[in-house]
Amino acid sequence: MEIVIANKLHSIYADIICDTIADAAKDRGTGIAKRKPEYIITKIENGNAVIALEGDTFAGFCYIEQWGHGKFVANSGLIVHPNFRNIGLAKKIKQVIFNHSRTKFPDAKV
């Protein structure tokens, strides 16, 4: 399993990320915010996301929300594909996105 800072090459996963988020909301009956592929692609292309892959297979994703001109950041949109749940992947993704947030926005409150 590889968890990396997402870049333009990972934009091809935007649809499956959105579908996985929507399916999780439906399955859980919760108000998880539905995202459009264009929104996910923006996060990816801005270097504000991490993606987990098993080879070329999508496993998980999370992105950074920032506001106040970078004074504040939040890690959002954490999702793990059902095929990769219950193996501790979410925790690993959280650690990578947190470290990336601290590196990219060192003076921000997380």
Side-chain angles (χ1 to χ4, degrees):
M1 182 75 56
E2 182 179 35
I3 303 170
V4 299
I5 298 169
N7 62 56
K8 289 182 182 186
L9 297 175
H10 298 111
S11 295
I12 62 171
Y13 296 99
D15 287 329
I16 192 167
I17 292 167
C18 291
D19 291 346
T20 304
I21 292 169
D23 290 347
K26 182 180 170 187
D27 290 346
R28 295 179 182 143
T30 63
I32 298 173
K34 188 172 182 178
R35 299 289 182 216
K36 293 186 179 189
E38 297 79 15
Y39 181 81
I40 297 298
I41 289 169
T42 299
K43 294 295 182 184
I44 290 170
E45 291 183 349
N46 289 339
N48 289 338
V50 300
I51 190 165
L53 299 169
E54 180 72 48
D56 291 335
T57 302
F58 168 72
F61 181 79
C62 192
Y63 60 86
I64 301 168
E65 286 286 2
Q66 60 101 6
W67 65 97
H69 304 289
K71 290 183 180 179
F72 305 95
V73 298
N75 302 141
S76 190
L78 175 65
I79 192 70
V80 173
H81 191 276
N83 295 348
F84 296 94
R85 291 186 183 149
N86 302 312
I87 61 170
L89 182 57
K91 188 174 187 174
K92 291 176 184 175
I93 292 171
K94 285 181 193 181
Q95 188 61 57
V96 173
I97 195 71
F98 179 80
N99 291 340
H100 182 50
S101 297
R102 298 306 303 145
T103 299
K104 189 161 184 183
F105 301 98
D107 298 323
K109 293 183 181 181
V110 179

